[in-house]
Amino acid sequence: MKITIFGSLNYDLVTSAERMPQPGETIGASNFETHHGGKGANQALAVRRLSSQAVSVEMIGAVGNDTFGNELLASMTKEGIDTSRVKVSKTERTGIASIFVDPKGENCIMVYPGANGTHTVEELNLDTFKGSDLLILQNEIPLPVVYKSLELAKKAGIKTMYNPSPVYADAPLDVFKNVDYLVVNSTEAQVLSKAAPIGSEDYSPEQALSALKPLQKTLGCNSIVITLGGSGSVYLDGEETGHVPAGKPERIVDTTGAGDTFLGAIAGQLIGSNKPLGEALAFASKASAIAVSRHGAAEGIPYLREIE
């Protein structure tokens, strides 16, 4: 079994403060750390750590020819991820994410794409993802490349899992017919459904459940997961719907990467353990509860042995 992740690799620069600064304001920070990140790399690491060894994990992406890129590749290789198809750009540096975290663990992020933006549609063909059982994509590489990858994977009979983050309201709807598993948070779900924004903190499980079938009809995806933070997640798998409560973290330290942990856990359970979607979500809730209790997007991702 093989899971391929095509997406971003970033080096995270994380600054903690008592509050976020206002425009034009300078405040003191309480801490500074560096971490490995990028939604693609985080999800690849989550799949590797939260899957059985029967699953091989491949990362496709790009880094710069710099210290950050070398460190990211060495770390992923050490974890057992195949990075042979991560290209090293000669013109762009490794992507950078500047992350600001408050005492509650909430964050805001600015991303410089760097080498992540060098992928082109011309690089892709029907054999690009050959041998994979599942292809995972996000929106931190050029969108035409994301959309073409979904199309080619579908034509090749490869299952696809798509996390359209950052989300774009003008995304063409025909893209989603190539998606087998759509994983979105409540804000992304509202954007894609063209619904009036409610606000993620006020989006209840009941509202999310009622939004699933209209969203399925609009987008054409068979299986949809909407994450709701502390309220857990809801899902639609064919005709089956359900609500899965959130895991209970010992404490909340840093929510960065929690969604990537959740998605990677789902993928590992679906492909590696052949679990139904509802059971995969229950496992993913436990994994993400551990992740938010730790610092760092990549470093916070737990291992399979910590949950089983």
Side-chain angles (χ1 to χ4, degrees):
M1 293 173 286
K2 179 179 177 181
I3 298 176
T4 297
I5 299 87
F6 187 7
S8 58
L9 298 95
N10 290 330
Y11 204 83
D12 292 350
L13 308 176
V14 184
T15 304
S16 300
E18 288 303 309
R19 61 179 177 82
M20 302 300 175
Q22 299 300 311
E25 181 187 25
T26 300
I27 65 173
S30 57
N31 192 40
F32 175 77
E33 299 174 353
T34 61
H35 299 282
H36 299 169
K39 293 191 73 65
N42 290 342
Q43 290 170 8
L45 186 58
V47 172
R48 177 64 285 153
R49 289 186 178 181
L50 294 165
S51 299
S52 72
Q53 290 304 308
V55 177
S56 63
V57 182
E58 176 188 46
M59 180 77 208
I60 302 177
V63 295
N65 185 20
D66 51 37
T67 302
F68 289 164
N70 293 337
E71 186 177 322
L72 285 168
L73 288 179
S75 176
M76 295 186 77
T77 300
K78 185 178 180 180
E79 289 275 355
I81 299 168
D82 180 0
T83 61
S84 60
R85 296 176 69 191
V86 176
K87 64 181 181 179
V88 179
S89 173
K90 296 179 180 179
T91 59
E92 288 285 350
R93 65 176 300 134
T94 300
I96 296 294
S98 298
I99 303 172
F100 303 91
V101 183
D102 70 15
K104 295 181 180 179
E106 296 298 329
N107 64 71
C108 59
I109 305 172
M110 291 188 295
V111 178
Y112 169 70
N116 295 309
T118 63
H119 300 289
T120 65
V121 170
E122 288 70 29
E123 299 171 355
L124 306 173
N125 57 60
L126 271 176
D127 292 330
T128 300
F129 310 111
K130 187 176 180 180
S132 293
D133 296 284
L134 178 70
L135 173 65
I136 297 175
L137 289 146
Q138 331 77 32
N139 282 351
E140 289 187 346
I141 58 175
L143 290 179
V145 174
V146 173
Y147 299 159
K148 188 66 175 180
S149 296
L150 288 167
E151 177 188 337
L152 290 172
K154 195 69 171 180
K155 286 181 179 178
I158 298 167
K159 294 285 187 181
T160 59
M161 181 175 288
Y162 183 32
N163 172 218
S165 179
V167 68
Y168 298 96
D170 58 353
L173 293 183
D174 62 351
V175 165
F176 295 92
K177 68 183 180 183
N178 298 316
V179 177
D180 291 292
Y181 300 99
L182 179 69
V183 182
V184 292
N185 63 29
S186 57
T187 300
E188 292 157 355
Q190 291 172 68
V191 170
L192 293 175
S193 65
K194 315 297 183 184
I198 298 171
S200 58
E201 293 182 358
D202 300 321
Y203 205 55
S204 69
E206 292 75 22
Q207 288 171 313
L209 281 167
S210 67
L212 283 168
K213 288 193 175 180
L215 189 59
Q216 183 190 53
K217 184 177 180 180
T218 298
L219 301 180
C221 303
N222 183 63
S223 300
I224 300 173
V225 175
I226 301 177
T227 61
L228 303 168
S231 296
S233 60
V234 298
Y235 69 93
L236 171 63
D237 191 21
E239 293 297 319
E240 179 186 348
T241 61
H243 171 235
V244 177
K248 296 181 179 180
E250 294 180 1
R251 57 177 181 160
I252 298 178
V253 173
D254 185 359
T255 59
T256 310
D260 298 327
T261 298
F262 189 84
L263 184 144
I266 296 171
Q269 290 293 293
L270 290 173
I271 301 301
S273 301
N274 199 31
K275 294 288 181 65
L277 185 55
E279 290 185 26
L281 294 183
F283 175 88
S285 293
K286 296 177 183 177
S288 57
I290 296 174
V292 300
S293 69
R294 299 171 176 175
H295 287 286
E299 293 88 336
I301 299 170
Y303 288 87
L304 185 62
R305 61 179 179 271
E306 297 181 74
I307 301 169
E308 290 187 332

